[in-house]
Amino acid sequence: MAERILITGGTGYIGSHTAVVLSQLGHDIVLYDNLSNSSDAILDVLQEITGKPIPFVKGDIRDTDLVIHTLKSHNIDAIIHFAGLKAVGESVEKPLDYFANNIQGAISLLKALQTQSINTFIFSSSATVYGEPQYLPFDEEHPTNALTPYGRSKKHVEEILKDLASSNPALRISCLRYFNPVGAHESGLIGENPKGKPNNIMPFIAQVAIGDREELCVFGDDYPTSDGTGVRDYIHVMDLAEGHASSLAFLENNTGWHAFNLGSGTGFSVLELIHAFEEEANCTIPYRIIGRRAGDIAEYYSNPDKAAKLLGWKTKRNLNEMCSSTWQFQKKLN
Ligand code: NAD
Ligand code: UDP
């Protein structure tokens, strides 16, 4: 059944890909974003991909009145909440900004949602809620000991949502714990385009490949992993976007609070990622090993069984497709 869905952070990286998937499934969607880390130029591109205009409201999630007005005027029945700040290092420098935006922002949004008796809410959480692995792969029962203000902002919002679901049995809430989203839409028209120097590895590799940056710095090769470099569970952003559609379908039949890992279940090292990219872009990525990045975990990856069982969702796209779609997007950008 088609629903009317508000996507906060909808002009951002993951929100825009999810908008495409949901629009193509026949949902009516409205994007809501303050454009602090994205641009409204993407609206024309989304129209080009989906063949229809997508309504957009420029606003902050902390502007409760504007959110309420938006929910009412578009007759919204579900919210997917992507909006937030996401740079781990910056969160250590500016914890209050992260708590104000991510926690206060979520509370403000939830207050607006309550005024309209909207029951369905999907939250962009993160594998960073787990912290240092006590065992691997991470399943959803692994203790949550987030190590940074960013990770703790996700953990706190998850807990707020859990308390809210206990207070109101009509609520239907999913916290989706993303592993490492990378890649781009198959059109090459939308993808990850960070402002300034990328924090994450995939856009950095793409910028080296295109010649915008000289070399990649590999943060450590002395971890207890297969080749000494860090291991992560990379997930294609289109698989991730489809996970939101599966989660919406799940919430149609399930009340309460639910957490799901969205990952592939397989870890790849930094060197494996570099080599996969080199193969897809038919180039050499110059890199230099430097010291470990403060706060990095050696290795983690998901157990995606719960999402497979309850959402009927698993990843379909492999590491090479993640690299080739990133490369197609990077070439179109330049
Ligand atoms: P993004 O920065 O591309 O998108 C977030 C969007 O939210 C941006 O368009 C930004 O302008 C908007 N925004 C920020 N604060 C806002 C506010 N107060 N009001 C309205 N809009 C606001 O990031 P993304 O990679 O698409 O991430 C989306 C969500 O997924 C975030 O919550 C992030 O923490 C989470 N997440 C991302 C990753 C990742 O590696 N990309 C991993 C795990 C979780
Ligand atoms: N990484 C790297 N060089 C970079 C950026 C990241 O070697 O310029 C490594 C990092 O140490 C980690 C992996 O790549 O092992 C993924 O890092 P990213 O920042 O993309 O994601 P996160 O560590 O936040 O999961």
Side-chain angles (χ1 to χ4, degrees), residues 13-14 33-34 36-38 60-61 82 86 101 150 154:
Y13 172 45
I14 306 170
D33 202 297
N34 67 2
S36 58
N37 197 36
S38 55
D60 197 287
I61 48 169
F82 293 99
K86 63 163 185 176
N101 207 326
Y150 168 72
K154 294 292 178 190

Side-chain angles (χ1 to χ4, degrees), residues 179-181 233-243 246 261-266 268 302 304-305 307-308 312-319 321-322:
F179 280 69
N180 284 58
D233 182 342
Y234 296 98
I235 171 172
H236 196 298
V237 67
M238 291 305 291
D239 280 328
L240 187 60
E242 288 165 10
S246 303
N261 285 339
L262 295 186
S264 74
T266 306
F268 289 99
S302 66
D305 291 351
W313 171 92
K314 58 182 182 182
T315 59
K316 293 189 254 180
R317 297 156 177 95
N318 64 25
L319 190 68
E321 288 165 289
M322 299 179 211

Side-chain angles (χ1 to χ4, degrees), residues 17 20 24 49 183-191 236-238 325 329:
H17 288 78
V20 168
Q24 289 177 337
I49 296 173
H185 185 259
E186 28 278 3
S187 64
L189 294 173
I190 55 171
H236 196 298
V237 67
M238 291 305 291
S325 60
F329 173 67

